[in-house]
Every structure is written in structure tokens, then in C-alpha cells.
Amino acid sequence: MLSPQLLHKILGAAFFLLPCCVQGKTAGIPPQPGFAHLPEDGIDEGFIPGFLPLVDYETEDIIHQLEHRISRLEGVLRLEKMITASGGKVFATNGKKADFHTTLKKCQEAGGSIATPRNPGENDAILYFVKFFNTYAYLGIKESLIPSKFQFLDGTQLSYTNWHLNEPSGKGEEECVEMYTDGTWNDKRCNQNRLIVCQF
Ligand code: MMA
Ligand code: CA
């Protein structure tokens, strides 16, 4: 257990070191606005007179290395069909089933949210898992206070739908939405076990 005195010292050191680490440098005199880290030719892309550059070259290099490593990992996950992607969104499943509320929780715990298709591309990316596991999946769409009117979980209105013929049919009795194995949607009670598909 840390004593309050030690904690105070560590915090003091952390605050002291903060300017150094933000700039990726050892502690010293902070660079003057407008004179920071210019390359030899004196031209700095993204340089705005009077402002410090957002990141220095060392930090930029680390960011590029991390981007490269992340894109390799994404490549492997895609190759192994463990994730699907559409636009900037990534979808994934653990292959397990749960009711709607448990699905919300599991996705949140993983740092994502329940799969919510906003266009045909995203619908297809989710459908891949529904087909692969031959199991319907709940979507991040719920009935509003107006029966048969569905909306995103944040309350905003749907800009894209893919209802199955004659759906939604529950008229207030089926508040959740599941995806069928053909990619169409059905309003359904929220207590069924469906494939957990999350978006990140
Ligand atoms: C089930 C249930 C409904 C769906 C109909 C379609 C009988 O109810 O899944 O949500 O609309 O089937 O026939
Ligand atoms: Ca229905």
C-alpha cells in the first residue's frame, strides 16, 4: 500500500515529467512557439506560425509504427475471417449466444457496442457471421414509444432498414430486432438467445 507521502512524491514527479513526455523529450526548456523542431531545410509541413506542432517527428514515427502494426493485426484477423469491416466499422463475434441485454453488456465490456447496420455494406458485414454460425443476431435497434416505429438505441431515427416481408409485426409486443440468415430483419422479443455480434 502506497503511503500518502510517497503517492504525493510520485504525483509530483509525474507532473514534473509531463511536459517532457508530451513532447517526447527529456525535461528541458520548452521549445518556443514558431521555432520548434524545424527540419534542416526549414520547411515544416503542417506548420502554423505561432502554434506548436501537434506532435514532433519522434512521436509521429511511433504513431506510424503503431499504425503499421495495427493494420497487420487487422489483416490477420480479416484473413482468418474473425472480423468483417465496412467503411470504418469493424464487426466481430465470439460465436456465443445471449439475450439482448446480455449482448449489450458483452459488447460494452469488449469496448464496443451491439452491431448496428446503417447501410447495406454494414448489414452484409454482420450477415457474414449470421450465416457462418447459422444463428440469428440481435441488432442495435429497438422499438420506440410509438408501436411499430423502430429507432437506434440512442433514440435517433433509422436512415436505412431491411425489414423482412410483413415485418415489423409485433405491434408493441416485440421490442428488439433480429437479423435472419438472409440479412432481413424481424422484430422479436428481447429474451431469445441470439448470436452476439459487436461493432468496434
Ligand atoms: C414469429 C416471430 C415473429 C415473426 C413471425 C413471422 C409467430 O411469430 O418470430 O416475430 O414476425 O414469426 O411469421
Ligand atoms: Ca416480428
Side-chain angles (χ1 to χ4, degrees):
M1 186 66 186
L2 279 180
S3 71
Q5 288 82 4
L6 187 56
L7 186 66
H8 187 259
K9 278 183 193 172
I10 292 170
L11 281 176
F15 277 106
F16 171 73
L17 290 170
L18 203 56
C20 105
C21 300
V22 166
Q23 293 161 22
K25 297 268 174 299
T26 49
I29 303 157
Q32 292 303 301
F35 294 94
H37 314 309
L38 279 183
E40 271 171 40
D41 63 8
I43 299 160
D44 184 7
E45 281 175 11
F47 172 77
I48 303 165
F51 288 87
L52 283 171
L54 286 178
V55 289
D56 62 27
Y57 294 134
E58 209 177 307
T59 311
E60 209 169 273
D61 189 45
I62 293 168
I63 290 169
H64 282 139
Q65 284 178 36
L66 288 173
E67 279 173 347
H68 178 64
R69 297 187 71 167
I70 290 167
S71 82
R72 283 192 317 193
L73 285 175
E74 251 191 72
V76 173
L77 291 173
R78 280 195 207 213
L79 182 72
E80 295 298 318
K81 296 274 193 185
M82 293 174 79
I83 59 166
T84 58
S86 173
K89 260 195 209 174
V90 168
F91 299 93
T93 181
N94 57 5
K96 294 182 182 157
K97 290 193 248 181
D99 63 27
F100 179 76
H101 287 100
T102 309
T103 300
L104 290 186
K105 203 167 130 241
K106 292 281 175 197
C107 289
Q108 198 188 355
E109 280 169 5
S113 55
I114 186 169
T116 306
R118 287 180 181 264
N119 53 56
E122 294 185 1
N123 208 69
D124 274 357
I126 299 164
L127 177 60
Y128 168 78
F129 296 115
V130 169
K131 280 185 167 162
F132 186 88
F133 289 93
N134 193 27
T135 307
Y136 303 164
Y138 280 125
L139 302 175
I141 294 168
K142 276 200 97 173
E143 198 165 30
S144 69
L145 294 174
I146 302 156
S148 299
K149 187 169 184 283
F150 285 76
Q151 59 189 23
F152 291 121
L153 301 187
D154 66 5
T156 56
Q157 66 173 342
L158 303 181
S159 48
Y160 157 79
T161 62
N162 196 32
W163 295 112
H164 192 265
L165 188 67
N166 300 327
E167 304 294 350
S169 61
K171 300 182 178 69
E173 296 296 311
E174 298 181 315
E175 288 186 55
C176 284
V177 177
E178 64 186 0
M179 181 184 284
Y180 285 155
T181 49
D182 67 352
T184 61
W185 307 351
N186 172 42
D187 58 338
K188 189 76 180 176
R189 288 176 187 269
C190 303
N191 60 359
Q192 305 295 300
N193 275 326
R194 294 292 180 253
L195 185 67
I196 298 171
V197 185
C198 308
Q199 65 183 28
F200 298 90

